[in-house]
Amino acid sequence: MNRDAPVAVLGAGWAGLSAALALAEAGVAVRLFEAAAQPGGRARGVSLHGQRLDNGQHVLIGAYTETLALLERLGTRHLLREQSRLRLHYRTLDGEGFELAAPALPAPLHLAFGIATSTLLPARDRWPALALARRLQQQDFGIDQDRPLLDFLQAERQTDLAIGRLWTPLCLAALNTAVDQASTRVFLRVLRDSFAGKAAHSRILVPQADLSRLFAAPASERIARAGGQLHYGERVHEIRLDQPPFEVRTVRGRYAASQIICALPHQAAARLLAGDARLQALVGRLRSLRDSPITTVYLDYPAATRLPQDFFAILDGVGQWAFDRGRLLGELGRIAVVLSADEAHLGWEQERLGQVLAAELHQCSNGLVPAQPSSIRVIREKRATFLATPAVEAARPATATAVPGFWLAGDYVATGLPGTLEGAVRSGRQAAAIARSRAAGA
Ligand SMILES: Cc1cc2nc3c(=O)[nH]c(=O)nc-3n(C[C@H](O)[C@H](O)[C@H](O)COP(=O)(O)OP(=O)(O)OC[C@H]3O[C@@H](n4cnc5c(N)ncnc54)[C@H](O)[C@@H]3O)c2cc1C
């Protein structure tokens, strides 16, 4: 191995940035390549019709321990609005509101008490849900055989109302996968991370600044300050892994690399690796992964318009979660509505989708939100996350590959987590730790 060549990190999403930052701060020479002009990947600020918006509304949970520690070190943790305890609001299209709030009890009691005391479900639907929550806690949220979450919930005697109101909104928000397809194992892992550790792990945190300001911009600045080289706007079109030093080829040049951390989306990684005979099994796995969309619809109203809460789930609507960007980010009068894993409305015209969602907001807020928004902006991310099915979960690749010195990072890497910021950050930091110890031992 050529010890002098830097480690190349491909892709400056949250995974690549986390990897590059960990290496640069450890004194390892690093070059970060990103095809887009700006970093951040699937979680970044964008300019749309002259307005600064996020490419999609994001939320974090207290169980994102590595992400939160990283934001703390970057000095941007304060840009997250954190609940003092878990509190979820729900509204029907009839304007009825419900709450699921965890009392100030130590984990894991707060989940059971939250369900037991919530008005979201009538008693006959609530008790089976409570019994399931208790059973899951007793078995540490583990299962022997993975299967679709809906099958699991039905076998566990959950009523249709409990599935529709309690489990489905959580599954869509956490896994971006419909409940009849979602991996029970991944879903239970999220529940365990949120509810089996500290009570603080179940709290929701919502960014109060645009996503680039929260992470990509300060992370890039820190990498550059630590001596890392940023090649933004420089797409990688080929890599050579025949023998070390490896080679990274872009439109601008050819760069030697002692090791490579590939933090590209799985489709791009599969394309880049297709020609390498040693990596054919990996390419097969990458090609078997499937994606799931997320649509964020931004609706603008007069500045004084407020939702009844910072955010809430819309029950039985086309929209799933609504966020008051005025309350949260100071974007007065702006409401973001999120549709996860929603293939059904991808083909709808933007205006039509916006009008349907505006009508829902008007109804479920009991007229607090005016009937007509002044503007509608729709951002569709067709490949927002991988589809977290049992088959995909079984196919997710590890950090290490058949080529020593060539490592994978990205939210799709087998961390056990769904496609999330925390999955991306953990995968990036793990790849960096391995690359770093290899660099030290070389
Ligand atoms: C609309 C939306 C809403 C979401 N909501 C949430 C949420 O609420 N909470 C949560 O935790 N997660 C959420 N996610 C998921 C989260 O954003 C992703 O899991 C995470 O950003 C993935 O990061 P990554 O680094 O693995 O991949 P990416 O962000 O995809 O990074 C890969 C990078 O590689 C670059 N690239 C591609 N090809 C090349 C090439 N040939 N050469 C160089 N660079 C290349 C890309 O431009 C990109 O910047 C959401 C995602 C979306 C899209």
Side-chain angles (χ1 to χ4, degrees):
M1 186 172 24
N2 180 348
R3 284 187 71 168
D4 300 330
V7 175
V9 177
L10 317 184
W14 286 48
L17 286 165
S18 305
L21 183 59
L23 289 170
E25 288 195 326
V28 178
V30 64
R31 271 184 205 279
L32 176 57
F33 295 92
E34 167 58 48
Q38 74 291 324
R42 279 172 279 158
R44 67 186 193 287
V46 293
S47 292
L48 195 68
H49 308 308
Q51 294 264 357
R52 196 77 190 149
L53 295 167
D54 287 328
N55 71 313
Q57 175 69 49
H58 279 63
V59 298
L60 296 81
I61 53 172
Y64 285 12
T65 49
E66 297 216 10
T67 307
L68 295 176
L70 197 52
L71 297 180
E72 189 79 57
R73 277 211 308 288
L74 291 172
T76 57
R77 170 82 153 77
H78 68 283
L79 296 176
L80 293 170
R81 177 182 290 203
E82 181 167 2
Q83 297 180 318
S84 56
R85 61 196 171 100
L86 174 69
R87 209 158 171 204
L88 296 174
H89 296 278
Y90 303 80
R91 302 191 74 82
T92 66
L93 295 182
D94 299 333
E96 210 179 343
F98 304 101
E99 190 182 83
L100 194 154
L105 285 170
L109 293 175
H110 63 315
L111 170 62
F113 276 83
I115 294 176
T117 54
S118 172
T119 52
L120 179 65
L121 299 174
R124 69 173 180 284
D125 304 274
R126 197 185 314 159
W127 295 121
L130 185 58
L132 175 57
R134 285 219 193 94
R135 272 198 301 285
L136 290 174
Q137 275 163 359
Q138 280 157 8
Q139 64 202 48
D140 196 25
F141 297 90
I143 45 159
D144 294 335
Q145 181 83 41
D146 201 3
R147 57 173 155 159
L149 182 60
L150 183 62
D151 290 359
F152 171 79
L153 293 172
Q154 286 170 339
E156 294 287 340
R157 299 180 187 287
Q158 300 302 289
T159 64
D160 288 349
L161 199 69
I163 292 172
R165 283 193 169 180
L166 178 63
W167 302 117
T168 297
L170 292 179
C171 174
L172 284 169
L175 271 62
N176 190 30
T177 304
V179 71
D180 59 344
Q181 292 183 292
S183 155
T184 301
R185 177 159 290 147
V186 178
F187 183 71
L188 296 187
R189 166 72 193 264
V190 175
L191 288 188
R192 181 164 62 104
D193 286 355
S194 310
F195 295 110
K198 295 181 185 159
H201 288 175
S202 60
R203 293 179 198 157
I204 310 275
L205 300 98
V206 188
Q208 292 180 289
D210 95 45
L211 290 168
S212 292
R213 228 184 106 203
L214 181 67
F215 181 64
S220 297
E221 201 183 301
R222 193 69 73 89
I223 295 165
R225 231 189 302 145
Q229 301 187 53
L230 306 177
H231 295 249
Y232 292 167
E234 199 166 342
R235 176 177 295 277
V236 175
H237 60 75
E238 196 180 341
I239 53 175
R240 289 297 180 90
L241 302 171
D242 317 326
Q243 58 192 24
F246 301 144
E247 192 176 89
V248 174
R249 296 184 176 182
T250 74
V251 274
R252 297 217 195 113
R254 297 175 175 197
Y255 304 88
S258 56
Q259 303 181 66
I260 295 179
I261 295 177
C262 175
L264 305 179
H266 62 85
Q267 311 85 352
R271 276 196 299 276
L272 218 51
L273 304 178
D276 194 304
R278 291 163 299 173
L279 296 173
Q280 288 317 294
L282 171 61
V283 170
R285 275 175 179 256
L286 294 173
R287 288 193 172 142
S288 73
L289 304 182
R290 294 285 164 266
D291 294 307
S292 183
I294 300 180
T295 301
T296 306
V297 180
Y298 292 99
L299 301 153
D300 281 344
Y301 296 93
T305 306
R306 290 273 181 284
L307 290 181
Q309 289 90 23
D310 286 359
F311 63 96
F312 57 78
I314 304 169
L315 296 175
D316 309 320
V318 168
Q320 296 166 0
W321 290 87
F323 294 81
D324 186 332
R325 304 268 298 184
R327 281 168 179 261
L328 292 164
L329 291 92
E331 295 174 2
L332 295 179
R334 180 168 298 152
I335 295 171
V337 181
V338 175
L339 287 73
S340 295
D342 180 34
E343 302 274 353
H345 300 95
L346 275 183
W348 280 30
E349 270 188 21
Q350 300 198 359
E351 179 67 22
R352 180 177 168 212
L353 181 61
Q355 291 297 347
V356 167
L357 298 177
E360 290 186 357
L361 286 176
H362 183 63
Q363 281 176 269
C364 68
S365 68
N366 289 317
L368 221 62
V369 176
Q372 271 302 325
S374 54
S375 88
I376 296 169
R377 274 165 295 211
V378 178
I379 302 187
R380 290 185 166 115
E381 290 273 14
K382 291 189 180 151
R383 294 172 161 183
T385 68
F386 65 86
L387 194 69
T389 63
V392 166
E393 183 54 20
R396 292 169 73 182
T399 308
T401 71
V403 176
F406 179 75
W407 319 108
L408 293 179
D411 62 353
Y412 68 86
V413 169
T415 57
L417 299 174
T420 52
L421 300 174
E422 179 72 1
V425 167
R426 283 194 191 193
S427 73
R429 294 181 56 76
Q430 180 161 328
I434 299 174
R436 193 180 151 195
S437 65
R438 190 175 163 88

